[in-house]
Amino acid sequence: MLKIITCILIICISTYIGYSYSNKYIKINDFYKGFYDFNLLIKNKISFSKETLNTIIKNLDDKNIFNEIIKTEKTPKFLCEEDIKEFKNYIEKLGKSDSDSQIDILKSYDSILDNKVKEAEKNKDKYKTVFIKIGFLIGLIISVAII
């Protein structure tokens, strides 16, 4: 009886660890979707309503992970070094030029971010279930070895 409970516990823990690893790809996907939406929002607000960058950021909702990162000014830990450099480069370019130049810069990021969103979505779909399944299988193998 104790072996069965131990085996169930091992399977649950290893599956949860697999889920934790897959959660990174979900966060990356959410981050890039928010990044893309933020870029469109900034571009539209600067183009049409001529709002300042500070006003736009203050009025952001906290519904997605990107907006939380922008408001707290923290570097996301789930991104790779290349993505962090790209993110910091984007942030450094915001508000540094006149509105027409700023709109051109934001337009140049549209295709880059669209590709990143598609790549993140593909990776999320691919790795989300893989890590959960691997975690479950490792737990199952350990459980069979115990029995």
Side-chain angles (χ1 to χ4, degrees):
M1 184 67 174
L2 185 60
K3 282 185 178 182
I4 293 173
I5 293 172
T6 305
C7 291
I8 291 172
L9 188 63
I10 289 171
I11 291 172
C12 290
I13 290 171
S14 63
T15 303
Y16 179 75
I17 291 170
Y19 171 78
S20 297
Y21 278 108
S22 71
N23 200 29
K24 171 187 172 185
Y25 292 97
I26 295 169
K27 284 183 180 180
I28 291 171
N29 184 47
D30 292 344
F31 173 81
Y32 276 114
K33 282 182 179 179
F35 198 167
Y36 183 77
D37 292 342
F38 177 79
N39 190 59
L40 288 177
L41 175 76
I42 294 261
K43 186 174 65 175
N44 291 335
K45 295 269 187 176
I46 291 174
S47 297
F48 300 114
S49 67
K50 304 291 185 192
E51 288 184 42
T52 64
L53 191 58
N54 286 335
T55 307
I56 296 169
I57 290 174
K58 284 180 185 176
N59 293 331
L60 289 175
D61 58 354
D62 292 335
K63 289 184 181 175
N64 67 47
I65 195 166
F66 185 82
N67 291 350
E68 292 175 23
I69 290 169
I70 288 292
K71 283 187 170 185
T72 59
E73 300 177 6
K74 292 183 180 176
T75 304
K77 294 179 181 177
F78 50 84
L79 294 177
C80 66
E81 285 297 318
E82 179 185 322
D83 291 342
I84 290 172
K85 285 180 186 175
E86 189 174 314
F87 170 67
K88 287 182 178 180
N89 187 31
Y90 176 87
I91 297 300
E92 288 172 3
K93 288 181 180 180
L94 288 178
K96 300 281 180 169
S97 58
D98 64 302
S99 62
D100 292 334
S101 299
Q102 191 73 57
I103 291 167
D104 291 339
I105 292 168
L106 295 171
K107 282 181 182 177
S108 71
Y109 272 95
D110 275 347
S111 62
I112 295 168
L113 292 174
D114 187 44
N115 290 336
K116 289 284 190 179
V117 167
K118 288 176 184 175
E119 181 184 335
E121 185 75 32
K122 186 177 79 172
N123 285 340
K124 181 191 88 167
D125 292 341
K126 182 167 58 171
Y127 293 120
K128 180 181 174 187
T129 57
V130 168
F131 281 114
I132 294 171
K133 289 176 184 176
I134 287 173
F136 178 79
L137 288 175
I138 288 173
L140 196 62
I141 290 169
I142 292 170
S143 297
V144 168
I146 289 174
I147 296 176

